[in-house]
Amino acid sequence: MIPNSNAYAVLRDKSQEFLDFVVLSCTAVPTLKKQIQAAGVAGVTPDHFKGPPNPAQLLSYAAVYQESLARMVVITLFSYFEAYVQGLLAEIVEFHGGATRFQATADKRAKSFVANSSQLIVDAKRKLQEPAKGAKIESYKKQSAVLVKQGFRFPSELLAPYGVRNLIRKAKPKGSKAFEIPELLRDALCFPLSTQDDARLDSIRDTRNKIAHGKAGPITLVEALTIGKDLRDISAKVDKHAVEHFFVLEAFA
């Protein structure tokens, strides 16, 4: 059994790489401030920028660096999370042989069942092909149990090929938008997204959008890192669910 999706491994590694940069920044800036206050900028040579550094200018940058860094944290980590969801969908499609083969498998399984119903299935099904009547509830339950035992595929299950087609479409680059993520998790992957996590994703996306459009209010680095932790926790739960239920060979069934 695979431990996690490749998409999750990329998310985990890229997120850690960026957080390492955050740690570096949070160490370097205070150190630079102390050096400037103690000895000026003697011996300080910035990478990629020519000319002697301006102490007053550097101190003014340092005074607000945490807020700038916080905005970077939100935008970067949410972008990685968004890419993870799209990458996970694409990986599921590839695991099942690619778009054409995955769709063909779904179509074949649905059409094969429709074409090969046994007489037992047909007889039980006939008793369920009418508008529901309260007086016949127990009979409906009995016949439904027969169908379930026989492996009958109910109408909602016969729609699986349509669901696969939509999944393939959403798995393409730019095939989905950030606001669709909760819907994709719930409806495409059947992930039990809690009300709390759903609301949290919407809140994080709204914060990211406001930052990207220059409309966000002040955000602290602590708040931004909490957002990163929440995205990491949600993605870990999603990936565990996806590996358990969607990375299962089907072409040989």
Side-chain angles (χ1 to χ4, degrees), residues 176-214:
S176 61
K177 303 292 185 181
F179 74 87
E180 297 178 287
I181 289 177
E183 176 186 336
L184 290 171
L185 299 182
R186 282 192 308 265
D187 298 343
L189 300 183
C190 301
F191 176 70
L193 185 67
S194 69
T195 300
Q196 181 179 358
D197 284 347
D198 192 349
R200 184 59 170 151
L201 285 176
D202 281 344
S203 174
I204 294 172
R205 179 175 55 82
D206 182 61
T207 298
R208 189 283 306 263
N209 289 346
K210 287 178 179 177
I211 290 174
H213 293 101

Side-chain angles (χ1 to χ4, degrees), residues 120-220:
L120 181 60
I121 288 177
V122 171
D123 291 343
K125 182 176 64 173
R126 289 286 179 262
K127 297 174 183 178
L128 295 171
Q129 291 181 293
E130 63 182 31
K133 300 174 183 177
K136 302 177 70 174
I137 295 297
E138 292 306 315
S139 174
Y140 296 151
K141 290 181 179 179
K142 178 180 178 180
Q143 301 307 322
S144 295
V146 171
L147 293 179
V148 169
K149 186 176 181 179
Q150 294 297 314
F152 177 76
R153 301 189 71 180
F154 287 87
S156 59
E157 296 170 293
L158 290 177
L159 288 169
Y162 180 74
V164 169
R165 186 173 295 110
N166 280 331
L167 176 69
I168 291 170
R169 179 167 56 85
K170 293 296 183 182
K172 294 179 180 178
K174 298 183 179 180
S176 61
K177 303 292 185 181
F179 74 87
E180 297 178 287
I181 289 177
E183 176 186 336
L184 290 171
L185 299 182
R186 282 192 308 265
D187 298 343
L189 300 183
C190 301
F191 176 70
L193 185 67
S194 69
T195 300
Q196 181 179 358
D197 284 347
D198 192 349
R200 184 59 170 151
L201 285 176
D202 281 344
S203 174
I204 294 172
R205 179 175 55 82
D206 182 61
T207 298
R208 189 283 306 263
N209 289 346
K210 287 178 179 177
I211 290 174
H213 293 101
K215 298 180 180 179
I219 179 171
T220 68

Side-chain angles (χ1 to χ4, degrees), residues 15-204:
S15 295
Q16 187 58 56
E17 181 182 283
F18 180 74
L19 290 173
D20 290 345
F21 166 74
V22 174
V23 172
L24 176 64
S25 300
C26 289
T27 304
V29 173
T31 301
L32 177 61
K33 287 171 63 177
K34 288 182 178 179
Q35 174 166 337
I36 292 174
Q37 292 164 355
V41 293
V44 176
T45 305
D47 293 335
H48 305 295
F49 291 93
K50 297 180 180 179
N54 183 314
Q57 190 178 59
L58 290 176
L59 287 174
S60 71
Y61 296 160
V64 295
Y65 91 95
Q66 287 199 32
E67 186 175 336
S68 298
L69 192 58
R71 291 194 293 268
M72 292 173 60
V73 168
V74 174
I75 290 177
T76 301
L77 295 185
F78 187 84
S79 295
Y80 287 162
F81 176 75
E82 185 178 5
Y84 159 70
V85 174
Q86 191 278 325
L88 176 63
L89 298 183
E91 191 173 340
I92 290 171
V93 173
E94 287 306 309
F95 180 86
H96 292 282
T100 301
R101 186 173 179 182
F102 193 22
Q103 186 67 62
T105 298
D107 291 342
K108 178 182 177 182
R109 288 174 65 80
K111 293 175 180 177
S112 174
F113 177 82
V114 170
N116 296 291
S117 294
S118 68
Q119 191 59 49
L120 181 60
I121 288 177
V122 171
D123 291 343
K125 182 176 64 173
R126 289 286 179 262
K127 297 174 183 178
L128 295 171
Q129 291 181 293
E130 63 182 31
K133 300 174 183 177
K136 302 177 70 174
I137 295 297
E138 292 306 315
S139 174
Y140 296 151
K141 290 181 179 179
K142 178 180 178 180
Q143 301 307 322
S144 295
V146 171
L147 293 179
V148 169
K149 186 176 181 179
Q150 294 297 314
F152 177 76
R153 301 189 71 180
F154 287 87
S156 59
E157 296 170 293
L158 290 177
L159 288 169
Y162 180 74
V164 169
R165 186 173 295 110
N166 280 331
L167 176 69
I168 291 170
R169 179 167 56 85
K170 293 296 183 182
K172 294 179 180 178
K174 298 183 179 180
S176 61
K177 303 292 185 181
F179 74 87
E180 297 178 287
I181 289 177
E183 176 186 336
L184 290 171
L185 299 182
R186 282 192 308 265
D187 298 343
L189 300 183
C190 301
F191 176 70
L193 185 67
S194 69
T195 300
Q196 181 179 358
D197 284 347
D198 192 349
R200 184 59 170 151
L201 285 176
D202 281 344
S203 174
I204 294 172

